[in-house]
Amino acid sequence: DMKNLRRGFTLIELLVVIAIAAILASLAAPSLTQFLSRSEMQSVSNDFLNAMQRARSEAVTRNTCITVCKSSSTDNAAPRCTPAGDDWHIGWLVFTNAACDRNITTADPANAGDIVVIRQPGNVRYTLVAGGGSPPKSITFGPQGNIGLNAATTFSLQDSQNSANTLNRSICVDIMGRTRLAPDGGC
């Protein structure tokens, strides 16, 4: 009698579906990991390039100095520059620096209204380190858009868990204040 037939899946059918889902998930996991890594690194490099370009543009537009500095206090009501360490991925500030003070120990936003951009820290897996013999703790753009460094500088964006990551990049800043993204070590 047809009324007594039960509809549903057998245990074997259910196990086959679970096995296929597990195989598909194991194939997708590496792609997802790579996608997340690429996304995070592009976010950091794009945000840093945009901050540098915005600082240069604001300096020229406002005819004053604009400073970009690394800051570990971006969550504070009155964030300040951080002179210790070399990793800019802790966060950074872009602010009006009317005194054109290029000294990291005294150049800080005078008030919250001076801040143009705040970048919160990101994933600690990725580092953004200024290179050179004396890596800059801040970069100040003058009213003509140039920076107060004697030589060009390079920032290295690295995946700290994978030094061979093909997404590792260099951010090149020339003495005129122009920034560009280059392959790792390509400045």
Side-chain angles (χ1 to χ4, degrees), residues 117-135:
V117 174
I118 294 177
R119 171 56 152 88
Q120 302 292 331
N123 187 334
V124 296
R125 175 179 176 173
Y126 307 104
T127 60
L128 180 64
V129 178
S134 179

Side-chain angles (χ1 to χ4, degrees), residues 44-160:
V44 174
S45 65
N46 289 342
D47 287 354
F48 191 72
L49 282 168
N50 289 338
M52 297 293 279
Q53 291 165 349
R54 173 100 186 259
R56 185 174 191 230
S57 173
E58 291 286 330
V60 172
T61 302
R62 296 180 186 197
N63 195 31
T64 190
C65 290
I66 303 288
T67 297
V68 181
C69 70
K70 61 190 182 63
S71 174
S72 61
S73 63
T74 55
D75 289 336
N76 296 356
R80 297 285 176 230
C81 298
T82 303
D86 294 328
D87 190 2
W88 282 64
H89 199 240
I90 61 172
W92 56 79
L93 303 173
V94 177
F95 63 93
T96 304
N97 183 353
C100 292
D101 184 357
R102 298 180 191 276
N103 187 347
I104 185 70
T105 58
T106 57
D108 276 318
N111 59 56
D114 291 338
I115 297 174
V116 178
V117 174
I118 294 177
R119 171 56 152 88
Q120 302 292 331
N123 187 334
V124 296
R125 175 179 176 173
Y126 307 104
T127 60
L128 180 64
V129 178
S134 179
K137 307 296 183 193
S138 67
I139 294 178
T140 299
F141 292 86
Q144 292 80 32
N146 58 337
I147 59 175
L149 300 176
N150 295 331
T153 191
T154 301
F155 291 85
S156 179
L157 177 60
Q158 299 287 315
D159 180 345
S160 64

